[in-house]
């Protein structure tokens, strides 16, 4: 929920593209601890920083994560 508030305040358009969709192979998705988000690169850069500050493990601009941001609770 706070990501929606953050996006609205930042004027960013984000789209949740995956949570526990039963297709991902990572345990974090299956355990309801991970989400994937798409949006503009600038918005995702800022969101990645905000998520890291509050303790999420973030994969963004690394192999396999150039077109979406993956965030998970460690």
């Amino acid at each position: 929920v706070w990501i929606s508030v953050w996006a609205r305040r930042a004027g960013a358009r984000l789209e949740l593209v995956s949570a526990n969709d039963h297709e991902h192979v990572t345990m974090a998705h299956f355990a309801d601890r991970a989400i994937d988000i798409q949006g503009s690169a600038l918005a995702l850069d800022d969101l990645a920083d905000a998520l890291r500050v509050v303790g999420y493990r973030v994969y963004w601009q690394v192999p396999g994560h150039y077109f979406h941001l993956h965030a998970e609770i460690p």
Side-chain angles (χ1 to χ4, degrees):
V1 172
W2 76 265
I3 293 174
S4 298
V5 173
W6 178 91
R8 198 169 324 121
R9 289 180 180 167
R13 295 184 57 115
L14 302 175
E15 179 181 359
L16 176 67
V17 293
S18 180
N20 187 347
D21 58 11
H22 304 287
E23 293 180 13
H24 278 76
V25 294
T26 65
M27 288 304 295
H29 280 283
F30 282 119
D32 295 322
R33 293 186 357 255
I35 57 174
D36 293 339
I37 300 171
Q38 288 181 337
S40 73
L42 287 175
L44 293 178
D45 285 342
D46 292 343
L47 178 60
D49 292 341
L51 288 166
R52 288 181 181 114
V53 166
V54 296
Y56 282 78
R57 181 178 300 127
V58 176
Y59 298 99
W60 168 235
Q61 296 299 315
V62 296
H65 298 91
Y66 292 110
F67 301 105
H68 74 279
L69 177 150
H70 170 95
E72 65 182 56
I73 299 167

